[in-house]
Amino acid sequence: MAELARERRVSHYHLTTLARGWDLPIRSTERRYNAIGHLDLPWTPSPAMQAVTASPTALDRLQTIVQVPGHPSLAAAARAIYDGRDGALRQRITKIEKVAGFQIIDRSASRLTPTPRGYDFLREATEILHIADKTRPKCQKALEQRRRERET
């Protein structure tokens, strides 16, 4: 399944969802699903990035975390990028940081800024998102948009 997803340039999650929708039997041989596994990355992701992206919503997580720096507060960031859901954004950032194993966003500054390790993490996340945008078909983007709309 993973090889077919790479060949078709779609995520493993998308292909599995389609197969389940068509009532096709699926046997998983992989223990953990990595949402960036279908991308041809020219480097091996850092251990923190591998941990954060080991979920079907990995690209959404990365998209959220890279948009946070530069805002005056988490509340302002939530208004700008998370439909004003301050608590949900805080929870998401905290979960990402817990999985990564370190603090990514410094909340003590007058503007939200990345920590030194967070800066490297966000740079890597930005590169992954750039590669994902180049390789992801338009239909995949539309499916993800519909899924986000259903979640809200």
Side-chain angles (χ1 to χ4, degrees), residues 34-36 52-63 92 129:
N34 186 338
I36 63 170
V52 169
T53 59
S55 90
T57 60
L59 294 175
D60 290 338
R61 283 179 171 184
L62 297 181
Q63 188 67 41
R92 188 158 208 183
L129 289 169

Side-chain angles (χ1 to χ4, degrees), residues 57 60-61 64 82 87-96:
T57 60
D60 290 338
R61 283 179 171 184
T64 300
Y82 222 67
L89 180 62
R90 285 179 194 276
Q91 192 174 45
R92 188 158 208 183
I93 291 170
T94 302
K95 186 173 183 178
I96 293 169

Side-chain angles (χ1 to χ4, degrees), residues 29-72:
T29 57
E30 299 176 25
R31 298 195 83 177
R32 288 178 59 136
Y33 166 68
N34 186 338
I36 63 170
H38 69 286
L39 299 176
D40 268 337
L41 299 178
W43 73 93
T44 301
S46 66
M49 186 60 67
Q50 289 177 14
V52 169
T53 59
S55 90
T57 60
L59 294 175
D60 290 338
R61 283 179 171 184
L62 297 181
Q63 188 67 41
T64 300
I65 197 81
V66 299
Q67 293 179 43
V68 172
H71 291 281

Side-chain angles (χ1 to χ4, degrees), residues 47-149:
M49 186 60 67
Q50 289 177 14
V52 169
T53 59
S55 90
T57 60
L59 294 175
D60 290 338
R61 283 179 171 184
L62 297 181
Q63 188 67 41
T64 300
I65 197 81
V66 299
Q67 293 179 43
V68 172
H71 291 281
S73 66
L74 281 177
R79 283 191 299 273
I81 62 173
Y82 222 67
D83 296 328
R85 297 176 298 167
D86 182 25
L89 180 62
R90 285 179 194 276
Q91 192 174 45
R92 188 158 208 183
I93 291 170
T94 302
K95 186 173 183 178
I96 293 169
E97 290 176 337
K98 183 178 180 182
V99 171
F102 57 89
Q103 187 176 3
I104 297 170
I105 305 295
D106 180 9
R107 296 158 182 82
S108 64
S110 61
R111 288 208 168 271
L112 299 174
T113 57
T115 63
R117 288 182 73 188
Y119 178 79
D120 292 336
F121 181 88
L122 293 175
R123 185 177 39 79
E124 185 178 11
T126 302
E127 291 174 24
I128 289 171
L129 289 169
H130 179 71
I131 291 170
D133 282 341
K134 287 188 340 189
T135 60
R136 215 174 350 171
K138 289 182 182 179
C139 62
Q140 177 68 19
K141 289 182 184 179
L143 287 171
E144 288 180 11
Q145 179 63 32
R146 277 190 245 137
R147 187 189 72 225
R148 278 191 219 112
E149 289 170 0

